[in-house]
Amino acid sequence: MDIKPLGCYISGGLIWFSPVINRVLRLTIPFLLTGALIGVLFWLYDDTTALQLGGLLLLYFVPPAGKESIIPAGIALGFPFQIMCLSIVWVDIACCLFMIWNFELICNIPYLGNMIRYLIRKGELYLGKHRWLEQLYFIGLIFFVFFPLQGTGSVSGSVIGKMIGLKTIEIFAAIAIGSFLSSFLIGYSVYALHEYLDVNVWYVLAAVIFIIIVLPLLSYGFYKTKTGNMVCSWISGYVHKCRKSFKR
């Protein structure tokens, strides 16, 4: 392996690294950021409370949990909404850095890597012909991360940013902005409901869990019934007819 210094640098080119050191840094810095967050939590709180908050952040990686459930859960347990929001944003930033710095390793995964590389090439070719779309893609990625839906986190956002041909700094900025706005909108909304309208945060959390877990399960169960299948088929046919009428 060639370990001569390449164009990998930080601090505006003042510090140069060999490819080996560069790879080590790309792999370790996201974990060091996560470790720094854990250290801050243990500095702010006692061991039991810090582990409680750490457990919530760990659940953030387990579907269908997300910002919309983890932040209200933390507030319900007594954590300030600022701490919850900043912790989620910090985790999103660490995940984003790991993805965009080590994306080529992910592309070496069999089958998945071939598919990702093909989509990236298609995205780069399209953007080469339509440069004006780049700004729209940046805004679109912000909104993708902003909306608290299943599968719209920093990891999937990083992959999509690579697919559509955005630069590394654009992907990082879009995910950081989207995560910050989304987290604080959720956190402050829950805080305001509790502080100004005297709404029990546990009720808010129960409503969120109902929407993201119970409601989809009920919808799936209804779809599997004969009546539900007929309703879905009718809706699908109606949408198809509308599309045909618009094309004329």
Side-chain angles (χ1 to χ4, degrees):
M1 178 183 294
D2 184 13
I3 58 173
K4 294 180 180 179
L6 298 178
C8 172
Y9 56 91
I10 61 175
S11 303
L14 298 178
I15 304 176
W16 292 73
F17 295 115
S18 69
V20 173
I21 298 177
N22 172 43
R23 175 55 59 197
V24 172
L25 291 175
R26 288 173 179 239
L27 287 170
T28 56
I29 286 178
F31 291 100
L32 291 175
L33 290 175
T34 305
L37 174 61
I38 295 173
V40 170
L41 295 182
F42 276 93
W43 176 68
L44 291 175
Y45 301 105
D46 59 83
D47 292 353
T48 302
T49 307
L51 288 173
Q52 194 176 46
L53 180 52
L56 285 177
L57 296 178
L58 188 62
L59 284 176
Y60 181 52
F61 295 97
V62 181
K67 299 181 184 70
E68 69 284 353
S69 56
I70 297 300
I71 293 177
I75 295 174
L77 290 172
F79 294 102
F81 79 92
Q82 298 93 334
I83 295 294
M84 290 303 306
C85 296
L86 289 175
S87 298
I88 292 293
V89 173
W90 192 270
V91 170
D92 279 342
I93 288 175
C95 291
C96 172
L97 289 177
F98 182 83
M99 290 296 298
I100 60 181
W101 280 349
N102 302 284
F103 195 76
E104 63 275 17
L105 295 181
I106 299 172
C107 288
N108 289 326
I109 299 175
Y111 303 111
L112 177 62
N114 293 334
M115 183 185 304
I116 292 176
R117 284 194 294 269
Y118 170 77
L119 292 173
I120 290 175
R121 285 196 297 269
K122 296 288 287 185
E124 289 176 344
L125 289 173
Y126 189 79
L127 279 178
K129 298 178 181 179
H130 306 85
R131 288 293 181 185
W132 61 274
L133 286 174
E134 290 187 2
Q135 294 300 321
L136 297 181
Y137 282 142
F138 176 75
I139 299 298
L141 187 58
I142 292 177
F143 278 104
F144 176 83
V145 179
F146 173 79
F147 288 108
L149 302 175
Q150 185 63 38
T152 60
S154 59
V155 174
S156 54
S158 300
V159 175
I160 290 176
K162 288 287 187 179
M163 286 181 179
I164 61 181
L166 291 179
K167 299 176 183 177
T168 298
I169 187 64
E170 292 175 331
I171 297 172
F172 176 80
I175 290 177
I177 293 171
S179 177
F180 182 86
L181 294 177
S182 177
S183 298
F184 274 88
L185 178 63
I186 295 171
Y188 187 75
S189 298
V190 175
Y191 168 79
L193 287 174
H194 174 67
E195 188 71 15
Y196 303 117
L197 299 180
D198 200 26
V199 177
N200 193 317
V201 180
W202 289 109
Y203 294 159
V204 177
L205 181 60
V208 170
I209 292 175
F210 178 82
I211 292 173
I212 66 176
I213 298 179
V214 179
L215 194 59
L217 290 175
L218 293 176
S219 300
Y220 180 76
F222 177 72
Y223 170 75
K224 284 299 183 179
T225 63
K226 185 176 180 180
T227 304
N229 198 2
M230 291 175 59
V231 171
C232 292
S233 298
W234 180 84
I235 294 175
S236 177
Y238 180 76
V239 171
H240 181 68
K241 290 180 181 178
C242 291
R243 287 179 178 176
K244 290 179 65 176
S245 63
F246 283 127
K247 290 181 180 179
R248 292 175 183 175

